[in-house]
Amino acid sequence: MAALATASRVAFVFIPYFKAITGVIMITGIAFGAQAGFLTGAIAAFASNFFYGQGPYTPWQMFAYGAGGLLAGFLFAKGRLPRKPVVMGVFGFLTTLLLVGPLLDTCSVFLELSVINVWTAWPRYVSGFWVNLSQGVCTFLTMVIFGNPLLEKLDRVKVQYGMMEDEDGL
């Protein structure tokens, strides 16, 4: 799933700030749980930066994308939220806009500003809003269009290979 998330980021290189990576990461979290969601996000961010370039922002991306996958895995686990396309899409949009994006904006604040305070930081968050909005829309579309088909395939993989079972086989 990390390879698919990486490919989904690289595939849309021609459309600035419109990457399906967050949606794929969240779908992984929904299918396999919070830990798998976090790991997929962290690995996908690291791997995709071999195409985009590694830098001091890479750990921030790993954490931000991982946090999105972790939250998706936690909230959709055990039916806390229904696995319906619109619910997943709205969740993905809001999480990208309010969690993943601001975490990445915080990276910009710490890496680019010599003086950090409210007056120097708020323009970073305001200018990042439009990028986060674009990412949120892409995440929404990814989860609405590809959410159910991917979840069906991943559920079949879990059953076929006995993944996510207890020691008793339940």
Side-chain angles (χ1 to χ4, degrees):
M1 289 307 294
L4 180 61
T6 300
S8 70
R9 184 176 183 205
V10 174
F12 292 102
V13 69
F14 57 91
I15 305 175
Y17 313 122
F18 197 80
K19 311 291 182 250
I21 185 172
T22 312
V24 174
I25 291 165
M26 289 181 183
I27 290 168
T28 304
I30 293 168
F32 296 119
Q35 291 175 337
F38 184 85
L39 286 173
T40 300
I43 292 168
F46 181 71
S48 65
N49 278 351
F50 282 104
F51 296 96
Y52 285 97
Q54 302 287 348
Y57 47 82
T58 299
W60 287 87
Q61 290 175 326
M62 293 170 68
F63 178 73
Y65 288 136
L70 179 106
L71 187 60
F74 177 73
L75 290 179
F76 283 89
K78 299 180 181 161
R80 290 183 184 106
L81 286 176
R83 290 170 54 166
K84 296 181 179 178
V86 174
V87 173
M88 291 187 302
V90 170
F91 168 80
F93 174 79
L94 291 174
T95 301
T96 302
L97 188 66
L98 302 174
L99 176 70
V100 176
L103 282 172
L104 295 173
D105 297 338
T106 302
C107 167
S108 297
V109 167
F110 282 111
L111 292 179
E112 297 172 4
L113 297 178
S114 58
V115 175
I116 300 172
N117 58 39
V118 172
W119 304 109
T120 60
W122 77 264
R124 297 289 177 173
Y125 291 101
V126 170
S127 65
F129 174 79
W130 300 106
V131 174
N132 300 337
L133 183 65
S134 176
Q135 285 281 75
V137 168
C138 186
T139 302
F140 175 84
L141 293 174
T142 302
M143 294 184 84
V144 166
I145 296 169
F146 299 110
N148 275 347
L150 272 174
L151 287 172
E152 288 173 10
K153 302 288 185 212
L154 295 174
D155 286 342
R156 283 183 31 216
V157 167
K158 286 192 311 190
V159 170
Q160 181 176 359
Y161 294 105
M163 298 170 66
M164 316 305 281
E165 292 180 354
D166 296 0
E167 294 173 3
D168 300 327
L170 302 174

